[in-house]
């Protein structure tokens, strides 16, 4: 185990989970998240407006003008990322906030964490909701072997090929395959799943996880074909097992 140099105080990186929707933060987050947010003033976030709103909901009395926020999203110059950790070198802890769920999981926060490890800065993950794991927990599928595949290709032909490949991989390895879609394309994707997958393949649809409208169900593709379901603009995780 490496020891810090005498007199050197280096801040830590805290991976702070957020809610998966517009529910009260402390209904789904542990009190440790509130305590961490109340003492940290330096943050790396995807969106400043939503990050400030989340921080205010968790800690209403926290001074917003004292917050130092760095933006990390698809527009961020990769060469700037190492400088985001400079506050740690000066002894300040930094919190990483995702737009929804856990930082670093299907989230650009992973880039910061990688650099933190390279610079030997301690990384502290906090407990919170992950739609991917919660969907897997609820699916009844193989919790011993599963893979998250992110977003499927947008091109229709490529997506069909990808789905067939995931179904074959699931069957050959007895491995559940998890993926997601942009919410406004959900209904179109469901139709494609029902046309592309084998009728016996099991499909879990996990929608609005942790919200009052939460819907989680696992059925065969054949059974889903007999059901009307509207997932438009609702965050959804899909899992298949052949």
């Amino acid at each position: 185990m490496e020891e810090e140099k005498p007199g050197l105080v280096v801040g830590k990186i805290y991976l702070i989970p957020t809610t998966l929707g517009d529910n009260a933060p402390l209904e789904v987050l542990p009190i440790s998240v509130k305590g961490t947010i109340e003492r940290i003033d330096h943050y790396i976030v995807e969106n400043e407006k939503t990050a400030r709103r989340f921080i205010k909901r968790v800690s209403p009395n926290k001074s917003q003008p004292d917050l130092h926020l760095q933006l990390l999203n698809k527009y961020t110059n990769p060469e700037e990322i190492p400088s985001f950790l400079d506050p740690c070198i000066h002894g300040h802890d930094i919190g990483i906030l995702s737009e929804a769920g856990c930082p670093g999981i299907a989230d650009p926060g992973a880039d910061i964490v990688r650099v933190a490890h390279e610079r030997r800065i301690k990384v502290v993950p906090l407990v919170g909701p992950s739609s991917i794991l919660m969907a897997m927990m609820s699916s009844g599928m193989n919790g011993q072997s599963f893979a998250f595949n992110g977003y499927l290709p947008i091109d229709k032909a490529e997506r069909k090929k990808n789905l067939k490949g995931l179904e074959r991989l699931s069957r050959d390895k007895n491995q559940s395959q998890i993926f997601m879609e942009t919410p406004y394309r959900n209904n179109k994707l469901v139709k494609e799943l029902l046309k592309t997958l084998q009728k016996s393949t099991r499909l879990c649809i996990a929608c609005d996880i942790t919200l009052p409208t939460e819907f989680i169900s696992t059925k065969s593709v054949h059974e889903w074909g007999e059901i009307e379901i509207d997932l438009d603009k609702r965050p959804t995780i899909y899992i298949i097992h052949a």
Side-chain angles (χ1 to χ4, degrees):
M1 182 176 177
E2 297 183 26
E3 295 182 0
E4 294 183 357
K5 296 179 180 179
L8 180 62
V9 178
V10 178
K12 301 174 183 177
I13 294 292
Y14 285 82
L15 305 180
I16 304 174
T18 60
T19 56
L20 298 177
D22 193 27
N23 41 4
L26 295 185
E27 287 183 1
V28 293
L29 297 171
I31 196 66
S32 59
V33 168
K34 178 178 173 64
T36 301
I37 284 177
E38 287 181 340
R39 65 179 183 77
I40 289 180
D41 290 328
H42 293 264
Y43 292 90
I44 298 170
V45 306
E46 283 188 76
N47 181 288
E48 180 173 352
K49 183 178 179 180
T50 56
R52 286 184 179 275
R53 184 166 63 237
F54 173 75
I55 291 171
K56 188 171 184 63
R57 292 189 72 188
V58 174
S59 181
N61 296 324
K62 189 172 182 64
S63 173
Q64 289 282 327
D66 289 339
L67 296 178
H68 304 273
L69 273 59
Q70 295 276 14
L71 294 183
L72 177 64
N73 51 42
K74 62 182 179 181
Y75 303 109
T76 302
N77 183 344
E79 294 181 359
E80 295 179 359
I81 291 178
S83 68
F84 289 2
L85 297 177
D86 286 351
C88 283
I89 306 305
H90 296 96
H92 300 288
D93 291 335
I94 295 178
I96 300 181
L97 292 174
S98 175
E99 277 293 274
C102 296
I105 305 297
D107 172 80
D111 294 333
I112 284 289
V113 174
R114 175 180 55 79
V115 177
H117 284 299
E118 290 173 355
R119 298 177 69 172
R120 299 181 183 179
I121 295 171
K122 185 174 177 60
V123 177
V124 183
L126 300 185
V127 175
S130 164
S131 60
I132 299 166
L133 288 179
M134 294 177 80
M136 190 65 224
M137 289 164 59
S138 318
S139 69
M141 296 187 186
N142 190 357
Q144 298 289 339
S145 180
F146 55 88
F148 176 61
N149 299 278
Y151 291 93
L152 299 181
I154 295 177
D155 179 79
K156 189 173 182 178
E158 283 295 313
R159 183 161 48 199
K160 182 177 181 179
K161 179 181 178 181
N162 190 271
L163 281 172
K164 285 289 190 182
L166 292 179
E167 187 177 45
R168 182 168 56 253
L169 185 62
S170 173
R171 182 172 53 251
D172 293 347
K173 292 193 172 185
N174 188 30
Q175 184 182 67
S176 299
Q177 301 296 324
I178 310 171
F179 50 91
M180 58 198 299
E181 179 56 289
T182 302
Y184 69 85
R185 293 199 197 107
N186 277 331
N187 287 340
K188 182 178 179 181
L189 175 61
V190 170
K191 291 179 181 178
E192 293 183 8
L193 292 175
L194 301 185
K195 288 181 181 179
T196 304
L197 300 174
Q198 296 292 320
K199 297 298 183 182
S200 59
T201 293
R202 285 185 295 155
L203 166 65
C204 175
I205 296 177
C207 175
D208 291 343
I209 293 176
T210 74
L211 300 178
T213 53
E214 180 179 86
F215 171 81
I216 303 173
S217 184
T218 298
K219 303 178 186 297
S220 69
V221 168
H222 172 74
E223 290 172 317
W224 279 116
E226 300 177 342
I227 298 172
E228 290 287 338
I229 182 171
D230 184 7
L231 302 175
D232 187 45
K233 298 179 181 178
R234 301 170 67 186
T236 304
I237 297 291
Y238 304 87
I239 312 176
I240 63 172
H241 199 112

